[in-house]
Amino acid sequence: MRFKSSLLLVASAVAVVMSSCGGSSKQSSPVTGWAYNNADNGGFEYKDQYEQEKGPGLVFVEGGTFIMGQTDEDVMREWNNSPRRVTVPSFYMDETEVRNVDYREYLYWINRVFIDFPEVYRKALPDTLVWRRPMAYNEPLVENYLRHPAYSDYPVVGVNWLQANDFCSWRTDRVNEMILVNEGILELTIQQLGEDNFNTEAYLLGQYDGVEGKRPMEDLHPDREYRRVRADDGILLPRYRLPTEAEWEYAAMGLVGNSYDERLTNRRIYPWDGHILRNPDKDERGRMMANFVRGSGDYMGMAGSLNDGGDVTVPVKSYYPNDYGLYCMAGNVNEWVADVYRPLTFQDTEEFSPFRGNVFETKVLDEEGMVVDKDEFGRIRYREETDEDILNRANYRTSDNRNFRDGDPISNISAVTGDWTEEEANTESMYSGGTGPMGSLVSDRSRVYKGGGWRDRAYWLSPGTRRFLDERESRDDLGFRCAMTRVGRPTSAE
């Protein structure tokens, strides 16, 4: 017994020492020995064990490697998404498509805040005329689909790519504003007009003050009592944005549900198991798994047994979610993604986090290197990087990479026989709208959309298929959902 007691005492002593060592490393810098989060030591703040909070409406998508591209038969013979292995970082994605009621909330806010700038409201309005067809009577949808409460939970359509991005920016600011209000750091200020509205980046850069709340952020600096929230506090969320094509395709496949210890049990054509479009379960056998066109002239089936339950779109939480918990990743409406379209993008993109569409920018600064004031909408001003800005960079050579290796001046010069100058190549660029021999219907404004919609045949429900549309155009079967970057470790503590 004494022997056991001695062992216990020794073990306890070791545990105490290890605990004290661990606690010490968390409370002071292993580089300088100065204490963290201590006003007596200068007040340098450090937050360990950070875990990202999940934004409203989002689902965590654990990243990983997968075969991106079309693995079923390419019926269209476009060969624009050949299979290749890539890795997608973890991220968050909306559980559902953005609904009509969500977009109406956005329009209401714009109308209230930009009351003196009616053009801002008009610019954000969806195109309700997308429902019209020369030989169909769709006026009830033109008049009712966006506004009527019967369609509130249906996906918003008629929104172009630019409008979808503006919605993501607005959502970022409203979510972060409410976080600061709930923390007591800011008072909720409804009467924000024009450029005085809360903007996340403007707040972080000291260009927005707001009204101080009842629980302002304590400052450990010896000479200050309170301060604004900083990025290194981890309180504010990363921005909402459109998912990349790789993220969208990865999330739609939901391979986390049919793999075991890095072994894929079976491939999928659609976001569910099997190669059929009907539910195989005993209780619901034969029911459609998505909203699409079953055959010529059949958009919803026969009365008394509608095969997909929708004449046009359906509510965003229809059918079963995939293995990530995402609804309608096939059918209902197609969805915008962030990428610029090129048929041969799969040959050029990186293996890690592939994406085409980068246009690198930098903040507009004054002569003293300070951030210039906000624009008329309350956002920080940016400009595209110049050749001088990136003169000594080795990781990228140009700011606009939308046509990287495919339509840019260098690729044009190398592809065409003759003495073309770089200026001539730019003028006659394949994707710049030039009238020369290198012209194309595809441009730097062409954006990818995926997923298939209520007007599509089953072929387009496969996540590997892809199409494109000018970013300024919209359709009655095209919507969107938002994504958010996962910061830190790729696994979630949930």
Side-chain angles (χ1 to χ4, degrees), residues 231-407:
D232 58 11
D233 292 316
I235 294 176
L236 299 178
L237 295 177
R239 63 187 181 91
Y240 285 82
R241 55 177 174 79
L242 291 181
T244 66
E245 181 178 5
E247 287 175 332
W248 194 98
E249 190 171 323
Y250 177 83
M253 291 301 292
L255 298 179
V256 69
N258 66 337
S259 60
Y260 178 76
D261 283 348
E262 291 199 287
R263 288 175 292 178
L264 200 62
T265 56
N266 60 282
R267 290 204 58 81
R268 288 176 171 173
I269 297 177
Y270 308 109
W272 51 84
D273 284 335
H275 60 279
I276 59 176
L277 297 160
R278 296 178 182 272
N279 195 323
D281 292 343
K282 180 179 179 180
D283 294 337
E284 298 187 57
R285 185 169 297 161
R287 305 302 300 175
M288 289 295 176
M289 298 289 286
N291 179 22
F292 66 103
V293 179
R294 186 170 65 169
S296 180
D298 183 1
Y299 282 74
M300 62 175 173
M302 296 183 65
S305 184
L306 300 182
N307 62 49
D308 63 23
D311 48 0
V312 286
T313 60
V314 293
V316 295
K317 282 196 174 181
S318 300
Y319 314 108
Y320 289 104
N322 74 357
D323 287 314
Y324 277 121
L326 304 170
Y327 288 85
C328 289
M329 293 299 285
N332 208 21
V333 291
N334 292 276
E335 298 180 19
W336 286 114
V337 298
D339 291 58
V340 167
Y341 177 82
R342 289 292 187 275
L344 300 180
T345 286
F346 62 87
Q347 295 181 349
D348 303 320
T349 51
E350 297 282 342
E351 294 177 340
F352 177 76
S353 193
F355 170 67
R356 179 186 288 277
N358 284 313
V359 180
F360 298 121
E361 298 179 321
T362 186
K363 298 179 183 68
V364 177
L365 306 177
D366 59 23
E367 294 179 355
E368 298 179 353
M370 303 299 291
V371 175
V372 173
D373 288 343
K374 301 172 293 184
D375 63 16
E376 65 272 24
F377 304 122
R379 299 170 297 199
I380 297 298
R381 298 180 188 273
Y382 277 81
R383 62 170 176 80
E384 188 175 330
E385 288 186 331
T386 64
D387 291 340
E388 184 180 354
D389 293 325
I390 59 179
L391 181 62
N392 295 316
R393 287 213 164 269
N395 52 329
Y396 63 97
R397 296 293 187 177
T398 182
S399 58
D400 189 344
N401 294 274
R402 290 174 296 179
N403 54 15
F404 181 72
R405 292 182 180 174
D406 194 17

Side-chain angles (χ1 to χ4, degrees), residues 214-230:
K214 296 180 180 179
R215 299 188 301 276
M217 197 75 176
E218 182 181 357
D219 196 339
L220 297 181
H221 189 284
D223 301 327
R224 296 190 292 265
E225 187 176 2
Y226 301 110
R227 63 171 175 83
R228 68 177 60 239
V229 170
R230 299 189 298 253

